[in-house]
Amino acid sequence: MDTVKAQQWLIGIFSVLLIIALLIVAGVEMKKSRTFEPVIEIDEMSAKCITCHEEKGIAVNQIDAWKESMHAVSGTGCYECHEAQKDDFDAFTCTGSSILVGRHPTPKDCAKCHEQQVEEFANSKHAHQFWILKNADRSVFENPISTRHGCEQCHNIGNLWPDGSVGECDVCHAKHSYSKAVARQPETCGECHMGPDHPQIEIYLESKHGNIFKAKSAHMDLNYSSKNNERIPLETPVCTTCHMDGNETQPMTHNVSERLAWESQMSWSYRTVWDEENLGSWQKKRERMEAICASCHSPDFYKVYLLTADLVNLQYNEIRRQFVYWTKKLTKEGKISRLEVDGKFYSDPVLNGWDEEPEYLMYYGWHHEGRRFRMGALMMGADYTQWHGIWEVQEKLIELIKWAAEHGDPEAKKIAKSKSPAKFITYPLYDIPGQAWGINARSNTTPFVYNQYPDYWDRVYKNVEAAYQQGLLSDEQWQIWLERYKNKEYYLGTKFANTPAVDSTFNFYKERNDYDLKKMKEQVIDLVLPGKSFFENR
């Protein structure tokens, strides 16, 4: 082959390869950009429904949503979900036909195909009707119309239907598409789990879990099945990962209570006994959650992290105990009173009340700040544990004590007038040496209680031991805590606080800090403007 022919041959081969490559790329891009509708067969009854809806222009988009659903693919049409009997509470005859349909498919209807999921849901706290069992905020402080699209819209997830079934499946699974991906989207849970009293979505989005999700979600397929004990196909968890989806060791569940070891939304934190005859003890529920944590984290991290969060829940109880002490005392003294009509009380000195300051300080210290304090600790939401949590809980307690002092209570006066920082700690403390992320050689050298109370850790030891003996901590947790207590100088970092390496680094930043403060003094504090005050020199 001469040189010219060889060159032509190479050019030809290169051109063919280039065309093939371009076609492959174009095919990939077409695949990305095109949405292929699943192949479905529309039965005669569904065809009638679709034709009628299209002719009358009623919820036409929901037809497309159904066509993209697994219901449509599996041959589940309109009537399979909307079938009704004559005496059903929601039965009606379609205009222009003799077809009897149900306006509201309920969990009882869903159970015809999804019996396990409906049963699991019905045994969960999502189905709990506590909000209509109590004379709480919505039934006293708020007017009914304001809760129609407030409390009721969210708590519709536990709707009690006239047919005796409980729940509303399309609260999580969007109507007619019944998409797994929509149900797994964190913002779906965030429709209800948000705001000042239960900000789980805000906590999640603050956490490392949420940050990774935001960065990677465009490349995640949330439509996967987790029925077969397979590895979680996500780099970071969404809400359902921890609370519902399965992994190699845990089955999928629609009972969101199966993995919760605390009742941390209540006025007190206590170890859950919800459906324990079926779900087992709180320790068993924690084991299930830890089995999910183990998909991404090592035991020495998640066990210490969760133990610390558990101690936060226990710490909340002791602060809460102070709120209850003061409101009961002030009620007994006649300084505050309960709301009452015809012998029935609509407020409670240990739970709620809205017309007197100590009562609503106590209420907010539980229902808003106290929840954020505990939920933030359990869900890696540092700011919600701190500034939206404990800081505001403490603030409410001090305001309550100041109110009592201003209204003549001698004990409150003594606390209010005290110049000791100990006035802010009128309750026992829990603690754990160090934290789950590592060792900080100087962070534990500044707390007031560490420096002023030589018996601090002895007191804490007794408190943690008492919680363990009460069954609020497991045997394993007690052993983890003891190991840290026995080696607290290591875990607190104080063992390394004055070593040459730490001193050198610490002093480097101290010098920078001192220089910052010096320049602030020069630029701002020492600056006196020559212009006179306009108020004093009108």
Side-chain angles (χ1 to χ4, degrees):
M1 183 181 296
D2 58 36
T3 304
V4 175
K5 287 184 177 180
Q7 289 177 341
Q8 291 175 340
W9 183 78
L10 288 172
I11 291 171
I13 292 295
F14 177 77
S15 299
V16 171
L17 291 174
L18 180 61
I19 291 170
I20 292 172
L22 290 173
L23 287 172
I24 291 172
V25 171
V28 170
E29 292 303 315
M30 288 176 65
K31 186 176 181 181
K32 288 181 180 177
S33 62
R34 291 172 60 188
T35 300
F36 294 96
E37 291 189 7
V39 177
I40 62 173
E41 293 183 10
I42 300 177
D43 61 80
E44 183 179 350
M45 179 64 79
S46 295
K48 289 181 181 179
C49 296
I50 290 171
T51 299
C52 184
H53 272 262
E54 288 179 337
E55 288 177 351
K56 296 179 179 178
I58 299 174
V60 178
N61 282 354
Q62 294 300 329
I63 298 170
D64 293 333
W66 170 77
K67 287 180 179 179
E68 295 178 358
S69 73
M70 286 303 298
H71 280 166
V73 173
S74 65
T76 301
C78 309
Y79 201 61
E80 280 80 0
C81 296
H82 287 274
E83 181 181 5
Q85 304 301 317
K86 184 178 179 180
D87 295 330
D88 287 352
F89 75 95
D90 61 337
F92 73 100
T93 303
C94 285
T95 304
S97 76
S98 59
I99 302 173
L100 193 68
V101 298
R103 187 182 302 276
H104 300 288
T106 71
K108 185 177 180 180
D109 298 304
C110 298
K112 289 184 293 186
C113 297
H114 304 285
E115 183 179 4
Q116 178 182 339
Q117 288 86 348
V118 170
E119 183 178 352
E120 288 172 346
F121 175 87
N123 285 323
S124 76
K125 268 295 181 76
H126 269 161
H128 183 25
Q129 297 293 307
F130 69 90
W131 66 290
I132 56 175
L133 298 176
K134 301 291 185 181
N135 289 312
D137 41 17
R138 65 169 291 276
S139 58
V140 178
F141 189 66
E142 301 167 6
N143 47 66
I145 190 61
S146 300
T147 69
R148 293 292 182 238
H149 288 332
C151 297
E152 291 188 29
Q153 184 164 318
C154 274
H155 285 287
N156 201 43
I157 194 172
N159 196 63
L160 180 57
W161 291 100
D163 64 8
S165 63
V166 177
E168 180 71 10
C169 302
D170 57 32
V171 167
C172 302
H173 298 278
K175 274 181 168 63
H176 293 87
S177 71
Y178 279 87
S179 165
K180 292 179 184 176
V182 170
R184 283 195 175 101
Q185 190 71 23
E187 284 78 8
T188 294
C189 302
E191 291 177 24
C192 298
H193 292 276
M194 65 170 297
D197 58 335
H198 37 49
Q200 282 91 347
I201 186 63
E202 292 99 324
I203 293 170
Y204 172 78
L205 293 174
E206 180 199 345
S207 73
K208 185 60 67 181
H209 291 158
N211 276 301
I212 296 173
F213 178 77
K214 284 182 287 185
K216 300 292 187 72
S217 59
H219 306 288
M220 292 182 183
D221 179 12
L222 298 181
N223 206 35
Y224 65 93
S225 172
S226 67
K227 288 183 178 179
N228 301 317
N229 290 109
E230 297 175 351
R231 178 181 174 186
I232 297 170
L234 304 177
E235 182 179 337
T236 191
V238 293
C239 310
T240 60
T241 307
C242 299
H243 296 284
M244 298 177 69
D245 288 324
N247 68 355
E248 298 92 326
T249 64
Q250 291 299 306
M252 179 188 178
T253 179
H254 273 66
N255 187 338
V256 293
S257 302
E258 282 196 14
R259 302 170 190 169
L260 296 180
W262 282 109
E263 294 292 352
S264 58
Q265 89 287 348
M266 292 291 285
S267 49
W268 300 93
S269 285
Y270 62 96
R271 291 299 193 178
T272 173
V273 294
W274 183 262
D275 195 25
E276 64 180 353
E277 61 272 24
N278 295 308
L279 299 181
S281 65
W282 72 261
Q283 292 95 330
K284 184 63 179 177
K285 295 171 185 176
R286 173 55 61 80
E287 286 175 11
R288 295 189 188 107
M289 181 64 81
E290 288 185 346
I292 300 296
C293 298
S295 295
C296 300
H297 299 286
S298 64
D300 59 348
F301 173 79
Y302 65 74
K303 288 183 183 295
V304 173
Y305 184 89
L306 290 173
L307 171 56
T308 307
D310 289 356
L311 293 173
V312 165
N313 273 265
L314 293 172
Q315 185 63 76
Y316 162 81
N317 284 345
E318 298 312 311
I319 306 174
R320 167 74 181 169
R321 206 180 307 280
Q322 286 292 295
F323 281 101
V324 170
Y325 169 79
W326 285 106
T327 52
K328 287 180 70 175
K329 185 179 185 186
L330 293 170
T331 300
K332 186 177 181 179
E333 293 173 352
K335 292 181 169 59
I336 60 175
S337 57
R338 300 176 66 181
L339 300 175
E340 180 184 0
V341 177
D342 298 331
K344 182 176 182 178
F345 288 110
Y346 286 85
S347 66
D348 190 324
V350 302
L351 186 63
N352 55 42
W354 301 275
D355 64 328
E356 295 169 288
E357 188 167 355
E359 294 173 321
Y360 66 74
L361 287 171
M362 173 195 61
Y363 181 73
Y364 273 79
W366 151 49
H367 197 267
H368 286 49
E369 289 85 359
R371 283 181 170 180
R372 299 197 294 262
F373 175 40
R374 294 172 284 171
M375 293 171 182
L378 287 164
M379 290 181 58
M380 293 190 176
D383 204 57
Y384 283 86
T385 307
Q386 177 66 33
W387 299 111
H388 295 302
I390 185 58
W391 183 270
E392 295 190 7
V393 174
Q394 283 278 89
E395 186 178 44
K396 294 291 187 294
L397 178 58
I398 295 304
E399 287 179 17
L400 196 161
I401 293 173
K402 285 169 62 178
W403 189 95
E406 291 166 0
H407 288 76
D409 184 89
E411 183 183 2
K413 283 183 178 181
K414 181 179 179 181
I415 296 172
K417 290 180 179 178
S418 173
K419 300 302 180 184
S420 170
K423 67 191 288 184
F424 301 118
I425 319 169
T426 58
Y427 46 82
L429 294 178
Y430 289 95
D431 200 352
I432 184 173
Q435 31 94 337
W437 298 279
I439 306 296
N440 191 315
R442 285 292 178 97
S443 66
N444 291 300
T445 60
T446 55
F448 163 75
V449 287
Y450 286 7
N451 294 313
Q452 295 299 315
Y453 296 93
D455 64 340
Y456 172 81
W457 283 104
D458 294 333
R459 298 189 194 191
V460 169
Y461 177 97
K462 293 175 182 177
N463 296 336
V464 177
E465 183 181 38
Y468 164 64
Q469 291 174 344
Q470 184 65 22
L472 295 167
L473 297 174
S474 68
D475 293 342
E476 182 184 34
Q477 288 183 309
W478 175 236
Q479 292 305 316
I480 291 172
W481 193 91
L482 277 180
E483 195 274 330
R484 285 186 162 248
Y485 173 76
K486 293 172 183 176
N487 297 282
K488 54 182 172 292
E489 298 299 326
Y490 171 83
Y491 288 108
L492 290 168
T494 51
K495 178 179 179 180
F496 312 101
N498 297 308
T499 59
V502 169
D503 280 345
S504 175
T505 305
F506 180 81
N507 289 333
F508 170 79
Y509 289 104
K510 185 178 184 303
E511 288 173 7
R512 281 194 169 183
N513 183 69
D514 292 344
Y515 181 71
D516 267 5
L517 296 178
K518 176 184 176 184
K519 300 310 292 184
M520 180 180 71
K521 185 175 185 299
E522 292 175 1
Q523 294 176 23
V524 182
I525 297 174
D526 294 341
L527 175 64
V528 179
L529 295 178
K532 295 180 179 179
S533 165
F534 287 87
F535 175 77
E536 295 176 356
N537 297 277
R538 288 179 291 174

